[in-house]
Amino acid sequence: MNYTLYIGNKNYSTWSMRPWVVMKYFDIPFNEKLVKFDSFNDDSLFKRTMYSVSKYGTVPILIDEDLVISDSLAICEYLAEKHHDLALWPADPKKRAIARSLVAKMHSGFQAIRNYLPMNIEAEFPQIGQIILRDHLEVKKEIMFLDDLLSSLLTSKKSNCDYLFGDFSIADGFYAPLCLRLKNYHIATSPILNNYIDTICNTKGIKDWINDALQEKSFVAMDEPYRLHR
């Protein structure tokens, strides 16, 4: 197998992050193609590059020989089918169903968090975080829901493992960007979720992504609503 994964800036691109960290964690080899963001206009270098790869013109994109797969969840589902020997999803059918429900919620939900707390790994915004919580009740409600949702899973396990379903799975990879948002905006969460965020930040693959993001040294204005320059 000779996979190629197209991604955007590691400092900003949450969608790119998800399949990348899953593949890294499970030692699925791939060639990385980083296409830097400039803008999302059709005539931008980013869009022109990605349209040459896929009609979707977005990241991430996984290439497997003549197969082109768009969307982070579709990519991870494909990898789970291709690599039956790896537990990308929980082995237990009930846990697997819950994990898929959790990922589906992330995939289509938490719009307020996404809108007002964009991921920016190399920056910390404690004051912005407090202003957002003060001025946007919908963000506060989503964070409370997220905390309750993840904490209930973390406390319901019979094992002492620190991941959502015991061992690391696609679900943890998909919630990693949300955890980084909470961390970098200094959002107060429960002790259970705090511990999980620390675990995520020190997890194989995720830690590598964070370190790479810190080395990018790029400033992309459209992804920096809270800074005029780096």
Side-chain angles (χ1 to χ4, degrees):
M1 297 177 186
N2 188 24
Y3 297 123
T4 297
L5 183 67
Y6 284 80
I7 63 171
N9 295 53
K10 291 179 180 177
N11 192 44
Y12 308 117
S13 185
T14 62
W15 296 110
S16 299
M17 181 181 180
R18 295 176 175 101
W20 193 97
V21 300
V22 168
M23 295 178 81
K24 285 289 185 177
Y25 185 89
F26 287 100
D27 292 320
I28 300 173
F30 64 95
N31 298 313
E32 175 187 315
K33 297 288 187 181
L34 192 152
V35 183
K36 290 185 177 181
F37 295 151
D38 50 356
S39 82
F40 295 143
N41 296 328
D42 285 342
D43 62 349
S44 67
L45 179 58
F46 171 79
K47 278 295 187 182
R48 285 187 281 115
T49 301
M50 291 314 302
Y51 278 134
S52 72
V53 177
S54 163
K55 292 181 179 179
Y56 292 99
T58 57
V59 286
I61 294 288
L62 182 72
I63 307 293
D64 183 11
E65 296 182 349
D66 61 344
L67 181 62
V68 179
I69 309 169
S70 173
D71 183 85
S72 57
L73 181 52
I75 290 169
C76 287
E77 287 283 18
Y78 177 74
L79 293 171
E81 291 178 354
K82 290 276 286 189
H83 299 273
H84 292 290
D85 56 319
L86 303 175
L88 272 70
W89 289 113
D92 179 79
K94 291 183 178 180
K95 288 183 179 180
R96 189 161 62 248
I98 296 171
R100 282 194 162 109
S101 296
L102 191 71
V103 168
K105 174 61 180 175
M106 195 294 308
H107 207 52
S108 61
F110 301 107
Q111 292 299 325
I113 293 176
R114 293 181 192 182
N115 289 338
Y116 293 105
L117 303 176
M119 188 174 80
N120 191 326
I121 292 174
E122 68 92 19
E124 294 192 26
F125 300 109
Q127 290 183 319
I128 296 296
Q130 294 308 303
I131 291 170
I132 295 299
L133 290 180
R134 182 194 68 191
D135 294 346
H136 298 281
L137 181 59
E138 66 272 31
V139 176
K140 190 173 184 178
K141 286 182 177 180
E142 284 188 359
I143 291 172
M144 291 174 63
F145 173 79
L146 173 66
D147 197 333
D148 181 65
L149 180 66
L150 298 189
S151 294
S152 65
L153 289 169
L154 292 164
T155 55
S156 66
K157 303 189 308 299
K158 294 181 180 179
S159 68
N160 293 321
C161 296
D162 291 325
Y163 297 108
L164 294 170
F165 296 95
D167 296 323
F168 182 89
S169 73
I170 290 171
D172 298 289
F174 268 64
Y175 275 81
L178 283 179
C179 290
L180 292 179
R181 284 174 159 102
L182 298 179
K183 177 179 181 294
N184 284 31
Y185 288 90
H186 291 220
I187 304 296
T189 59
S190 67
I192 295 170
L193 185 52
N194 282 341
N195 181 68
Y196 178 66
I197 292 171
D198 288 341
T199 298
I200 283 295
C201 289
N202 287 286
T203 292
K204 173 187 173 183
I206 297 172
K207 189 173 182 179
D208 295 333
W209 178 279
I210 292 171
N211 289 337
D212 288 351
L214 294 175
Q215 298 303 313
E216 281 185 344
K217 309 300 182 184
S218 297
F219 180 85
V220 182
M222 67 180 180
D223 286 307
E224 292 273 8
Y226 304 123
R227 295 195 298 188
L228 295 177
H229 55 81
R230 188 181 176 279

